[in-house]
Amino acid sequence: MTTPIMEPKSAKIIIYDDVLDAEEIPSHVLANIQENRKFIWWALLFLNGSCLWAYYSCLSAQTYYAARFANTTLQFGYLTTPVITWPMFIGHLVQVLFGLDKQLGLLHRVRLGYSLFILCAIAIVLQDVLDIAPSTGGVIVLVAFGTVGFTNSLTEAAFYALSALFPEAAFTNAIQLGNGTSGVINITLNTLIQLMVGGSVPAPDTTATIQRVSFYIFFSVFIAVCFMAVVVYHKLLRIPAVHYLMQRNDLETAKRHANRESLVEIWMRLGRITRVIWLPLVSQIFIFTCSLVAFPGIGIASGYQLAGDASWGNWYVNGVLLSYNYGDFVGRVLSPKLYPFFSLESCFTWTILRWGLFVCLLLGLPGDGRNPLFIMAGAHGFNIFWQLFVNFVLGLSTGVLSTITFGLGPRLVHQEDRESAGAIMCLGLFLGICIGATFGLQFGEHHWLGA
């Protein structure tokens, strides 16, 4: 079947009334989806949130990294994201181009993925428990970060692909909301653990101990979340409608395998789908490129520069992380209500215009006199608020635009192509994160504009 090029407006958040899907999915399956709708929605939210919990666990412990690796050349504020995201993008690209994602299957990808997550968490904790030299420990942590990123190409991409099999965008929205929810809870939990262990103003001689204890508790929660995710995933698979959608997708994969689909045919099929979803795909790339150029490196740098030698510098870094992630969460919560106000064309326009937020952050970056855009020298107090506010708006726009474009994109193609469409959209998401994080790393390494 040739994938039709549908108008963006035909991709609805709920499309049970769409003639195409009514013919393609039996009515009893649609009814079963409705019967189990709440559990499916919450399960997908939790599952993707658990994948992103691994990513955010690596990202959130910035104060620990700053203390643990202070005497090394490693800049974790800028290194964390690119080290995680490039293996994620490359792993997913290889799987998609060579059809390995379909050969592994969703179930095996998830089982393998969570096993690797747990091993990475143990390795990160052990380098501290064994008090390995900071230079070596830093390398171990970065290798674990890279493994977490690659593993996300197995798990997170699998959940995006699974959500794309459903005939309505609400379940892809659940995946997207899981992303935002994970960031909010993860970074909030990290901050609360630090408060409970050491209080708001810990004694200077206890700071290192407090950070280590908080770090151990934080990563123990990470391991527990991984075990819970495997249980939830298996319970989700027992729902008849979910089993039907996965079985149907597996049969389509088996048919292509039986027909000995060549690499050229795979690439032609992927190219055909890409031509249909190119607008939301490019939007995903632009959205996350902008977000990751600005976050978290610029925010962390500005936080420490604004704080100077003051003790609230570490807490302000947590505030930057919280502001972006709370904005992202609010955007994903609001996005289902905003579908009527956005088309794919308007989403693309906003992805271009929101680069102004990056400029807004630079307006408040002191840069030690090297940032010609800095205009807040006489408004230090306002600038502290300004940086948090702009990070919140950056996260808010990320949540809204990424949710809507990802929700509509896979529904521009027929049912049998939706897993591949979801995989391609996920590839765009990963690519945007990688490009943005790499540029952000360059800001940190070369201290462009005093970052």
Side-chain angles (χ1 to χ4, degrees), residues 9 22 152 168 174 243 268 378 402:
K9 291 182 180 179
N152 259 342
E168 53 177 297
H243 179 74
M268 289 179 64
S402 65

Side-chain angles (χ1 to χ4, degrees), residues 94-372:
V94 170
Q95 291 179 63
V96 172
L97 286 182
F98 294 96
L100 300 178
D101 53 335
K102 290 183 174 293
Q103 291 179 29
L104 283 172
L106 297 178
L107 179 60
H108 294 303
R109 289 165 69 185
V110 170
R111 286 175 174 171
L112 175 61
Y114 282 106
S115 298
L116 289 174
F117 278 152
I118 292 171
L119 290 175
C120 288
I122 292 172
I124 291 172
V125 171
L126 282 180
Q127 63 81 28
D128 190 277
V129 172
L130 300 177
D131 200 23
I132 294 174
S135 56
T136 304
V139 172
I140 292 173
V141 171
L142 291 176
V143 170
F145 284 2
T147 305
V148 166
F150 170 77
T151 304
N152 259 342
S153 72
L154 298 173
T155 52
E156 184 183 6
F159 295 140
Y160 272 111
L162 174 60
S163 72
L165 299 179
F166 289 89
E168 53 177 297
F171 295 110
T172 303
N173 293 344
I175 291 285
Q176 294 276 15
L177 190 58
N179 187 334
T181 303
S182 179
V184 166
I185 297 177
N186 186 282
I187 295 172
T188 301
L189 179 65
N190 183 45
T191 304
L192 290 175
I193 289 174
Q194 292 180 50
L195 279 170
M196 288 187 292
V197 173
S200 59
V201 187
D205 59 340
T206 63
T207 301
T209 301
I210 290 168
Q211 287 175 337
R212 294 184 74 178
V213 173
S214 302
F215 178 70
Y216 296 157
I217 296 173
F218 187 57
F219 269 79
S220 297
V221 174
F222 169 26
I223 294 172
V225 167
C226 290
F227 281 110
M228 291 171 59
V230 174
V231 174
V232 171
Y233 186 63
H234 280 273
K235 187 173 181 179
L236 178 66
L237 297 186
R238 288 196 290 269
I239 296 175
V242 178
H243 179 74
Y244 167 85
L245 291 174
M246 291 188 62
Q247 187 178 50
R248 176 174 174 165
N249 186 66
D250 290 341
L251 289 173
E252 181 65 27
T253 301
K255 183 175 71 174
R256 288 171 178 156
H257 182 70
N259 292 335
R260 299 183 181 277
E261 187 179 33
S262 66
L263 285 178
V264 173
E265 290 172 326
I266 291 174
W267 296 340
M268 289 179 64
R269 173 169 53 82
L270 294 175
R272 168 171 52 82
I273 296 170
T274 301
R275 287 193 296 273
V276 177
I277 65 171
W278 74 269
L279 188 60
L281 175 64
V282 173
S283 296
Q284 285 285 312
I285 296 172
F286 283 1
I287 290 165
F288 286 97
T289 297
C290 175
S291 298
L292 272 297
V293 168
F295 177 84
I298 299 296
I300 290 174
S302 63
Y304 282 126
Q305 289 177 21
L306 290 172
D309 295 328
S311 60
W312 53 266
N314 286 340
W315 292 117
Y316 190 80
V317 170
N318 284 339
V320 169
L321 299 175
L322 285 168
S323 295
Y324 177 89
N325 283 284
Y326 271 94
D328 182 75
F329 174 76
V330 171
R332 295 179 193 278
V333 170
L334 293 177
S335 58
K337 301 181 183 298
L338 299 177
Y339 272 79
F341 304 101
F342 286 91
S343 66
L344 290 177
E345 289 83 356
S346 65
C347 284
F348 179 76
T349 301
W350 280 109
T351 63
I352 304 299
L353 295 176
R354 69 193 289 269
W355 277 95
L357 294 173
F358 176 62
V359 177
C360 288
L361 283 177
L362 294 179
L363 296 178
L365 175 68
D368 297 327
R370 287 177 287 176
N371 179 14

